[in-house]
Amino acid sequence: MRSKDMPIGIFDSGIGGLTVLKEIINKLPAENTVYLGDTARVPYGIRSPETVTRYSFENTRFLFSKHIKLLVMACNTASSISLDAVRQSVSLPVVGVIEPGARAAVSATRNGKIGVIGTDATVRSNAYANAIRALDASAEVFSLPCPLFVPLVEEGWTEGTVAELTAGTYLSDIRDKGIDTLVLGCTHYPLLKAVISKTMGPDVKLIDSAIETAFAIRDILSELSLLRADQAAGSREFYVTDSPEKFVAVGERFLGSRIDVITKIELSSEV
Ligand code: DGL
C-alpha cells in the first residue's frame, strides 16, 4: 500500500539528475526524496543499450528497497533506452524525462521545427524524435549529439571561451535548420542554458526537460492522491556508487543547496 509519506525515488548516471531533483524540490518541496547517482559507472551516454538497460534495472531495484511511491528516471540516456522495459516490470508509476520534454517542445514550437541535443546514446535511440512525432506527426525534428557538454559541466566550465567555442561548433548546423525550439535532452545541459541561448539567439526557445518532468510528477501524484501536503520541507537522502566527496562538491552546485545525508553503496545485479 503506497502512502503520501513514502519518498520519490530518483536515479541518474551521476550528478546530472540533480537538475531534475532541484526542480522537484522547487515545485514539490514537501515531498521526501531518495536520489541515487551511479557515479561509479557514469557516463551512460557512451554505452550500449544492453548495458544502460542493465544499469537501469539495478538502480530501480535499489530504489525499490527504499519503499518509494514513484520512480523518476532523471537520466535522459536511461529514459530513452530503458523506460518502457522498466515500466513493464514494476507496479509503481515510472516517470522519464523524454515525454515531458517532448510535450513541452510541441506546445512551444510555432514553425514545427524542433531541435534535440543529447548524448550519443540518446540521439541514437531516436526517443525524443519518436515522442515528438507521436504528438505531432508533421513536426520536423533535428537531433544532434553534443557529448563534450557533459565533461564541460562536470568541470564547472559552464561559461567563458571554452564553453562558447564548444557550443558554437556543435550548434552551428542545427541553428541553420531554422528551428524555433531546442530540447536540452541531457541532465547536464540546463547548466549551459546561458551559453546555448547566446549561441542559438533570442528567437529559439530552450526546453528544459527537468522542469517539465517535475510538472509531470506533480500531476501523477495528484491524480493518485499521493501528494504530500505537509508544510515542512521533505527529507533528502542521497546514495552514490563511488566516493561521495566529488559528488557533494559538484552536486551542491547543480542542486543549489547542501547535500548532508549521503551514503556509498554497492549495487547488486541479483534479481
Ligand atoms: N545523465 C546523462 C543524460 O541525461 C548524461 C551523463 C551520462 O552520459 O551519463 O543523458
Side-chain angles (χ1 to χ4, degrees):
M1 182 66 185
R2 291 193 287 265
S3 78
K4 295 181 181 181
D5 287 337
M6 290 168 121
I8 298 174
I10 301 135
F11 81 75
D12 179 47
S13 53
I15 52 173
L18 294 176
T19 53
V20 179
L21 176 62
K22 183 178 180 180
E23 294 306 329
I24 296 173
I25 295 172
N26 274 344
K27 311 251 167 335
L28 305 167
E31 292 298 333
N32 298 317
T33 58
V34 179
Y35 181 96
L36 167 62
D38 190 8
T39 47
R41 304 190 292 194
V42 70
Y44 285 9
I46 55 165
R47 302 193 192 282
S48 70
E50 295 73 26
T51 301
V52 173
T53 301
R54 179 161 56 83
Y55 291 173
S56 294
F57 273 100
E58 289 172 11
N59 297 337
T60 300
R61 215 168 289 132
F62 172 77
L63 287 172
F64 261 55
S65 73
K66 298 291 157 195
H67 307 292
I68 56 174
K69 62 181 176 184
L70 178 140
L71 174 70
V72 182
M73 293 173 96
C75 180
N76 288 257
T77 304
S79 288
S80 57
I81 289 168
S82 55
L83 181 74
D84 290 341
V86 170
R87 246 185 203 155
Q88 277 160 24
S89 77
V90 298
S91 54
L92 283 185
V94 183
V95 179
V97 287
I98 308 296
E99 289 156 0
R103 216 174 309 121
V106 168
S107 60
T109 186
R110 293 287 158 262
N111 69 5
K113 294 185 180 184
I114 299 170
V116 175
I117 52 176
T119 64
D120 274 322
T122 297
V123 168
R124 241 182 295 120
S125 77
N126 274 321
Y128 270 111
N130 292 340
I132 290 168
R133 288 206 198 93
L135 294 163
D136 176 0
S138 68
E140 274 185 89
V141 185
F142 303 94
S143 305
L144 181 79
C146 301
L148 282 179
F149 280 170
V150 170
L152 267 186
V153 169
E154 298 265 341
E155 254 340 280
W157 292 9
T158 50
E159 53 192 37
T161 320
V162 178
E164 283 176 21
L165 278 175
T166 311
T169 309
Y170 272 143
L171 299 174
S172 64
D173 274 359
I174 211 162
R175 197 178 41 204
D176 295 344
K177 304 284 187 214
I179 59 166
D180 69 352
T181 304
L182 180 65
V183 180
L184 306 179
C186 173
T187 46
H188 290 57
Y189 299 0
L191 280 106
L192 288 164
K193 239 183 224 172
V195 168
I196 294 172
S197 177
K198 192 171 161 195
T199 308
M200 296 305 295
D203 297 333
V204 175
K205 184 161 171 34
L206 304 185
I207 302 294
D208 183 340
S209 292
I211 296 177
E212 307 306 330
T213 302
F215 283 128
I217 294 164
R218 185 197 56 193
D219 292 349
I220 292 172
L221 289 180
S222 157
E223 215 167 278
L224 297 171
S225 303
L226 282 174
L227 268 182
R228 191 161 184 263
D230 213 282
Q231 291 301 313
S235 62
R236 314 272 161 243
E237 272 177 51
F238 296 88
Y239 294 87
V240 285
T241 52
D242 203 347
S243 76
E245 287 76 25
K246 181 154 190 230
F247 182 91
V248 172
V250 184
E252 288 185 343
R253 201 181 64 236
F254 270 59
L255 197 55
S257 60
R258 285 183 57 84
I259 294 174
D260 291 317
V261 186
I262 182 160
T263 311
K264 178 175 181 290
I265 51 138
E266 297 280 335
L267 287 171
S268 152
S269 55
E270 279 158 34
V271 186

